[in-house]
Amino acid sequence: PAALRAGDAVAVVAPASNLKADYLARGVAEIESPGFRAQYEPGILDKARYTAGDDERRAAELMRAFADPEIKAVWAARGGYGSMRLFKLLDEDLISHRPKVFIGYSDMTALSLYFYRRFGWVTFHGPMAAKDLACGEEHYDRETLIKAVTCATPLGEINSNKTEMLHR
């Protein structure tokens, strides 16, 4: 996927667990603070037991984000449970021709690995909109995150007191 630039549209999606409206609003504000245009579908706040709506709603939301040529990044609202159930509902042909920045962790790791294995994409194990971003900059490293998604070249060594190195 291409590096993001100020003014790019970012789709916030909920492929897994349900979320709270106030957390979503705060996370969207964080995404917009460096100049991105965040958007999400009205159904993002749906609930079906543990998930943000039924499998079909969540898969359709994800597919629309990938199908829209204006959207340059797909940012998970939160992780939790349910994203792996979407695999069989995704249109791989459509997705494979529309690489986008994808950001998330937890249950989103399954989607990240799916995008990597199926299409060879680089994805970002990073803060989620209605969780980490919603809690403010003290819960993530804004400078490193923005560099990672806006720089077209590898960042090299990351020196941050807000980032923990898991492997050297």
Side-chain angles (χ1 to χ4, degrees):
L4 298 180
R5 298 183 313 214
D8 280 348
V10 173
V12 177
V13 298
S17 293
N18 57 53
L19 50 138
K20 297 177 181 175
D22 58 329
Y23 280 63
L24 176 63
R26 292 195 312 260
V28 164
E30 283 289 309
I31 290 170
E32 292 177 339
S33 68
F36 304 129
R37 293 181 295 117
Q39 57 190 64
Y40 56 88
E41 295 189 3
I44 197 169
L45 295 173
D46 286 359
K47 291 182 182 178
R49 296 194 66 188
Y50 306 112
T51 61
D54 61 27
D55 294 349
E56 289 73 19
R57 189 216 72 78
R58 292 178 291 112
E61 174 187 69
L62 195 56
M63 290 304 304
R64 284 189 292 272
F66 279 103
D68 187 339
E70 293 295 313
I71 300 293
K72 303 302 180 195
V74 178
W75 205 311
R78 64 168 289 188
Y81 170 79
S83 66
M84 288 179 278
R85 296 187 346 209
L86 305 184
F87 294 158
K88 66 185 181 294
L89 301 173
L90 300 178
D91 180 343
E92 286 190 359
D93 187 52
L94 184 142
I95 293 173
S96 69
H97 294 95
R98 293 184 168 79
K100 298 177 191 264
V101 169
F102 181 80
I103 303 168
Y105 69 93
S106 184
D107 208 46
M108 297 306 105
T109 303
L111 285 170
S112 288
L113 290 172
Y114 173 85
F115 297 142
Y116 172 72
R117 296 278 297 165
R118 294 283 206 250
F119 317 124
W121 293 358
V122 172
T123 59
F124 296 90
H125 183 90
M128 290 187 277
K131 185 175 184 330
D132 313 279
L133 299 184
C135 294
E137 195 172 349
E138 61 273 7
H139 289 269
Y140 72 101
D141 182 348
R142 180 184 287 169
E143 180 181 346
T144 302
L145 173 65
I146 299 306
K147 275 186 194 176
V149 299
T150 61
C151 188
T153 59
L155 294 182
E157 186 174 341
I158 297 172
N159 294 309
S160 170
N161 62 359
K162 294 183 181 181
T163 304
E164 180 182 352
M165 183 65 67
L166 299 177
H167 184 274
R168 285 194 184 250

